[in-house]
Amino acid sequence: MVRKINYGKILLVIFLTVLIWVWADLALDEEHIIPSVTISVAKSTDPSLWVSFNEEPVVSVDNVVLKGPASRIGNARRKLNDGSLVLEFFLVAEQQGLTDPGEYSLDVLAFLKKSGKIRDLGLTVESCDPNTLSVNVVELVKRRLAVKCFDEDQNLIKGAIIEPPQVDIFVRQDWVGDAKVQLTRREVEQARVEAVPKKPYVKLAPGETREAAGTVDITAPPEEDRLSDDTITPATLGITLSLTLQGKYDVEIENLPEVIGGITIRATPEAKRAYEEMRYQVILEIDDEDARSTEPLRKELIYNFPAEYVRKDEIMLNQQPVIARFKLKRLLSAVAPSNE
C-alpha cells in the first residue's frame, strides 16, 4: 500500500527550519569597529547662521562600534571594504534645533543611532569616541563690502574694473576686509576681451566661505609687458653624466667661452634674481649614447630657469640655445690593465 505524501508537513518542517536559522542568526550578535567616520555640517537654509565644530566644517569620530546580527555585520563589512558603503554623516542644524546663536553639546552616539544609513543596515551604534562634540552657532550680519580681484597665484589684478564694485555678504560682526573674486589664467585672458561674471566671496575660516547672492562683472586691463631684456654673465655650467659614465670620462668643452658666455633673457626682476641665484645657469647632459658615438659630440645646453617663474611665464630665453661642442676622454684609472 502506497502512503500518501503529506506536503503540508514537509513545508511546515522547512519553514520551522528556516525560522530556527533566522532566529539563531538574529540571536548571535557581532561587532565591527570602524576606525574613523566624518560628520560634516550641512549648508544651512539660513544664510545668517554659521554652524561649525569650533570653526571647522568637518570633524572626525573614531572607533565607531557597530553591533548587530552576524549576517548584517558581514554585509556591512563587505560594503565598507569594496567602497560601496561610505559612512559619512551630515549635521543639519535645523533638524537638531540649532537655530539660535550659542554653543551646544552634540550627543554623538544618539546622533549616529538616528542616522538613516545605520538604520538601513539593520545595525546599532554601541559606542564612539568622542561621546560629545561642541557645536558653535554664530549669527552673521549683512555687510556691504568692496570687491577685489586676484589671479590664481593670489596676486592683485591692478586696474581690474569690477561692476558693481561693492556687494552685500553675510560676515561676522567683527569682520574687517574686502570680498574677493579669483580668476584663473584663462579667465584673466578672457576678461581682457569681455567681462567675466564671478561670484564674490569671503573666507570666514579655513574651508568655510560665504558668497554674495549675485555675480559681478570683471574686466581686466590689457596685459602690461612685465618682462624686460637682460643678460646673465658669466653663466655657471653644470655637467651631468649618466651613472655608467661617472668616474670613467673627463669632459673637454671645445667652445667653453661661448657656453659660459652671456645669456640673453626676458624676465621680471624677481625671476632674473632667482635665476642668478641658481647653482648652475646652464647644464650639459651627457648620456651613454654620447660615449658610444663616433661622430663629433654636439649637444644643446639646458637653461636651468627656476620652475616657479617658468610656470608663471616670467622668464624666457631671448636667443638661440647654445650648442656645446665637447669630447669625452677616458680616464686612465678607468682603463682595465692588460694581462701580459
Side-chain angles (χ1 to χ4, degrees), residues 42-60:
K43 187 175 181 180
S44 176
T45 56
D46 185 350
S48 68
L49 290 183
W50 173 24
V51 184
S52 70
F53 301 104
N54 292 323
E55 298 194 356
E56 295 289 341
V58 181
V59 71
S60 177

Side-chain angles (χ1 to χ4, degrees), residues 89-273:
F89 304 91
F90 292 90
L91 175 69
V92 181
E94 290 79 6
Q95 293 178 359
Q96 301 296 322
L98 308 176
T99 55
D100 295 315
E103 185 172 334
Y104 299 83
S105 180
L106 176 67
D107 186 329
V108 182
L109 188 59
F111 172 78
L112 294 178
K113 283 184 175 182
K114 293 177 183 178
S115 166
K117 284 189 176 183
I118 300 297
R119 290 200 303 266
D120 291 344
L121 292 172
L123 303 174
T124 61
V125 181
E126 292 295 298
S127 62
C128 60
D129 182 27
N131 294 318
T132 59
L133 287 170
S134 179
V135 181
N136 303 98
V137 180
V138 176
E139 185 176 16
L140 304 177
V141 295
K142 186 182 286 188
R143 293 268 177 83
R144 178 153 292 188
L145 304 178
V147 182
K148 297 291 180 66
C149 184
F150 297 83
D151 64 19
E152 59 188 7
D153 294 316
Q154 302 300 318
N155 298 313
L156 179 68
I157 300 178
K158 297 179 181 178
I161 299 173
I162 303 169
E163 187 59 40
Q166 296 179 326
V167 293
D168 292 333
I169 297 185
F170 283 98
V171 294
R172 293 185 307 235
Q173 298 264 1
D174 59 352
W175 178 264
V176 177
D178 302 312
K180 67 184 296 185
V181 290
Q182 187 170 334
L183 302 183
T184 64
R185 191 180 298 273
R186 179 173 295 180
E187 287 172 333
V188 171
E189 294 173 359
Q190 181 184 346
R192 294 193 180 108
V193 179
E194 59 182 353
V196 174
K198 295 289 284 187
K199 213 168 226 191
Y201 67 92
V202 296
K203 183 177 286 188
L204 300 177
E208 186 68 33
T209 60
R210 282 293 185 275
E211 292 182 333
T215 60
V216 296
D217 291 329
I218 310 295
T219 305
E223 183 176 18
E224 297 179 4
D225 194 355
R226 301 170 299 150
L227 311 185
S228 58
D229 295 339
D230 225 317
T231 302
I232 305 295
T233 185
T236 55
L237 170 67
I239 300 176
T240 65
L241 285 84
S242 69
L243 189 62
T244 56
L245 300 183
Q246 290 178 17
K248 296 180 181 179
Y249 290 91
D250 192 14
V251 182
E252 182 181 298
I253 308 293
E254 297 181 329
N255 60 333
L256 186 61
E258 184 182 0
V259 167
I260 63 173
I263 305 170
T264 304
I265 62 172
R266 285 183 56 75
T268 62
E270 295 81 5
K272 177 197 173 187
R273 191 179 311 114

Side-chain angles (χ1 to χ4, degrees), residues 22-32 66-77 121-124:
V22 170
W23 178 85
D25 179 67
L26 293 173
L28 183 61
D29 278 351
E30 286 191 2
E31 291 184 350
H32 177 66
L66 299 180
K67 186 175 182 180
S71 60
R72 291 180 180 176
I73 285 288
N75 182 53
R77 186 183 291 115
L121 292 172
L123 303 174
T124 61

Side-chain angles (χ1 to χ4, degrees), residues 240-246 248-249 285-294 297 299 326 328:
T240 65
L241 285 84
S242 69
L243 189 62
T244 56
L245 300 183
Q246 290 178 17
K248 296 180 181 179
Y249 290 91
E285 283 190 353
I286 301 173
D287 54 34
D288 296 350
E289 292 297 323
D290 297 315
R292 291 192 287 266
S293 176
T294 58
L297 297 176
K299 186 163 281 190
F326 61 97
L328 294 178

